Amino acid sequence: MKNTSRLKLLAAILTLTLSGTLLSCGSQEPHAGSCFVNVNGAEPEQEFHPLSTNDAAGLRLASVLQSGLVYIDETGQPQLDLAESIKQLSPTSYEVTLPEDLQFSDGSPITAKTFVDSWNYAVAQDEFWAPQLNNIVGFGEYGAGLSGLKVVSDTVFTIELREPRLDFIASLAQPAFLPLPSSAFGETKNFKNNPVTSGPYRISQWAHSQYVTVVPFTGYRGGKKVTNEGIKFHLYEKTEKPFEDFQSGDLDVLDMIPASEFAEYQKQAENRLVHQPGAAIISLSIHSQTPHFTGEEGRLRRQALSLALDREALADDVLDYSHIAASRFTPPIVAGDTTLEAPAHYDPEQAKQLWREADAISPFTGSIPVHFSHDIAANHQWGKAVARQITKVLGVPADPVPGADFTRFRYDYQTVRFDGLYRTGWVADYPSMREYLVPNFATNGVSNDTQYSNPDVDALFDAASSAENQAEASQLYTDAENILLAELPAIPLLYPAVNLGWNKSVDNVQVGFNSFPLYHSITKDSASCDAS
């Protein structure tokens, strides 16, 4: 994904965007007496289209309305969705077979040609998610289209990649790889007003800024088994009202328990709570040319700063469980079973010792600024706390420095070198160690904002790309991550947390990689259903 796209998505996740306007649409009335699962949502910020929807509210709806070849399950593993099989023919080529009689919610067929035409359309129109297709042969070649796509039959097509990617099948869960009906091409006003869907649900009614109801689509042939009669998304503009409705029983599931309420809810939740790291990570970066942070002196100081940070206190005490302490650059759902030699942790005595060793090389004078954007409230909380921790442990003045808004702040630290620490963040589009490490730490990586370069790390990245299996690749990426945690071009700080609760009315509540509930698997006790 291009940086601007990932930036907008990360901002949506971190700020929990809850307001906006959209199109005017609606179809039939919800079924009287239906046992809908009541959940929180928000009005999307823009018109709903699979290739352009990128705000958190729109992506939430897309998670139930749209399906592609694969989906990511609750363990972070790819599972077949609309594909019957995906066979690897060579390191760079794949054959996709679809079941017969696939269809959209309007009854139109989904064929191999549908997928090929949809992906070519995304690239030709330079749609928001189109860069996710950049590894297919033909991408970026003027007038060629995606020449790496070939239709074999109504149910079979092949894909040729520019270079091998062990995580390619997982990447197919991204929005760019969705099939589109003909109504989504060209003039799309009618499609945006009445979205035709490919997923396990279709829209029943959309009362804008009030609610969206979706019901199971009986023509769906994918891998997500729907276990309820439908979902009712209650659309909120403020963060307080959903929790009030959740407490009163008007919501069955709430995936944004307010930080101020989390500790109390945790006491009463019994086992009806998910508190785990999401897919995003917040780090403190240090530019490779920052005075006193180059060479061996810089390595010692970066390690000292990392050891001086009590991440658990930041996550639990300062941020009220809205975040979770980060010990590495890849979130737990991505890292798998690989273990690290020395994950980031808190050790104030060792931090002082390393800082003294660095001072023996070249005495440090002045203060350490902690830069962050001003428009995310949590930044001010942890920014001030980080500065206090550094000063307390190392005896060095550290100052929180609020910068511009999120977008401008990132532009500033990419074009004007910040001395000291500055907040950076990342969220991958699908579960992949590569997607967290290579863009940020490979030489000339697309988001290598510190200008870090290490040939040993690059070699491990290259070896992982051509590994024979996923286990081998994961170990190679972990080897690279061990080097990164020793050199610390950035310091892992926090994972924004998924704080999800549910009432006794429902069961089988799980969370996906995108931090949204897996709505299709939720079951509801019929005794809790509306009688109307």
Side-chain angles (χ1 to χ4, degrees), residues 425-443:
W426 194 253
V427 58
D429 302 316
Y430 58 95
S432 165
M433 292 183 74
R434 180 189 186 280
E435 284 297 288
Y436 283 90
L437 299 177
V438 173
N440 294 297
F441 302 113
T443 300

Side-chain angles (χ1 to χ4, degrees), residues 46-358:
Q46 59 192 67
E47 293 181 317
F48 186 83
H49 192 288
L51 293 179
S52 58
T53 295
N54 61 77
D55 62 286
L59 292 171
R60 182 189 299 277
L61 293 177
S63 73
V64 299
L65 297 175
Q66 306 296 340
S67 279
L69 297 174
V70 304
Y71 72 96
I72 305 300
D73 68 15
E74 69 279 4
T75 69
Q77 297 301 309
Q79 303 293 340
L80 293 178
D81 198 348
L82 296 185
E84 183 176 279
S85 68
I86 303 175
K87 183 187 301 182
Q88 187 170 10
L89 306 177
S90 76
T92 58
S93 60
Y94 295 79
E95 180 184 81
V96 177
T97 301
L98 306 173
E100 295 183 355
D101 301 324
L102 280 183
Q103 58 182 295
F104 290 104
S105 60
D106 66 350
S108 59
I110 301 176
T111 65
K113 187 175 185 297
T114 305
F115 279 94
V116 171
D117 289 348
S118 299
W119 300 359
N120 273 298
Y121 176 81
V123 173
Q125 298 298 313
D126 192 26
E127 293 284 358
F128 182 89
W129 296 108
Q132 296 171 333
L133 298 156
N134 65 3
N135 195 31
I136 298 177
V137 170
F139 185 93
E141 298 176 12
Y142 180 76
L146 296 175
S147 55
L149 301 178
K150 304 293 183 185
V151 175
V152 178
S153 68
D154 281 349
T155 57
V156 178
F157 68 101
T158 59
I159 306 168
E160 185 68 30
L161 305 182
R162 295 177 184 273
E163 60 182 30
R165 290 279 178 84
L166 275 175
D167 59 5
F168 175 67
I169 291 179
S171 76
L172 292 171
Q174 300 174 101
F177 295 97
L178 291 168
L180 297 176
S182 58
S183 57
F185 298 153
E187 174 52 56
T188 60
K189 182 176 181 180
N190 184 60
F191 173 82
K192 293 176 179 178
N193 285 341
N194 297 281
V196 174
T197 61
S198 57
Y201 294 88
R202 60 174 176 80
I203 293 176
S204 173
Q205 187 176 33
W206 195 329
H208 289 278
S209 300
Q210 298 179 56
Y211 62 85
V212 180
T213 53
V214 300
V215 295
F217 169 43
T218 56
Y220 171 71
R221 299 288 184 270
K224 300 177 183 178
K225 182 181 178 181
V226 176
T227 58
N228 51 61
E229 293 186 22
I231 308 292
K232 183 173 183 178
F233 294 91
H234 297 250
L235 308 182
Y236 297 96
E237 293 185 359
K238 297 181 179 180
T239 58
E240 297 83 6
K241 186 65 163 58
F243 188 72
E244 295 174 8
D245 287 352
F246 178 62
Q247 286 184 306
S248 68
D250 291 336
L251 289 183
D252 300 307
V253 181
L254 178 64
D255 66 5
M256 43 175 289
I257 297 172
S260 59
E261 305 288 352
F262 180 84
E264 185 60 32
Y265 175 74
Q266 188 177 34
K267 296 176 184 177
Q268 63 188 25
E270 299 175 352
N271 63 343
R272 300 188 311 278
L273 171 68
V274 171
H275 174 61
Q276 67 186 38
I281 180 172
I282 296 171
S283 302
L284 292 173
S285 288
I286 305 170
H287 195 280
S288 61
Q289 299 303 312
T290 303
H292 290 288
F293 286 91
T294 61
E296 178 63 9
E297 178 195 355
R299 185 184 67 83
L300 292 169
R301 294 200 189 281
R302 291 191 297 272
Q303 289 181 342
L305 286 170
S306 180
L307 292 166
L309 299 178
D310 186 346
R311 297 165 179 80
E312 298 286 349
L314 292 176
D316 297 349
D317 302 334
V318 176
L319 295 172
D320 294 323
Y321 299 94
S322 62
H323 293 65
I324 291 174
S327 60
R328 63 190 301 170
F329 296 106
T330 49
I333 194 172
V334 174
D337 295 329
T338 53
T339 56
L340 296 172
E341 295 171 2
H345 63 286
Y346 178 54
D347 189 337
E349 294 307 314
Q350 181 67 6
K352 294 173 185 176
Q353 176 60 33
L354 293 176
W355 195 263
R356 286 193 294 266
E357 292 177 20

Side-chain angles (χ1 to χ4, degrees), residues 285-293 364 367-371 399 401 413 416-422:
S285 288
I286 305 170
H287 195 280
S288 61
Q289 299 303 312
T290 303
H292 290 288
F293 286 91
F364 184 88
S367 64
I368 298 176
V370 181
H371 298 274
D399 305 304
V401 182
Y413 70 66
V416 181
R417 190 195 76 207
F418 283 164
D419 286 343
L421 303 166
Y422 53 95

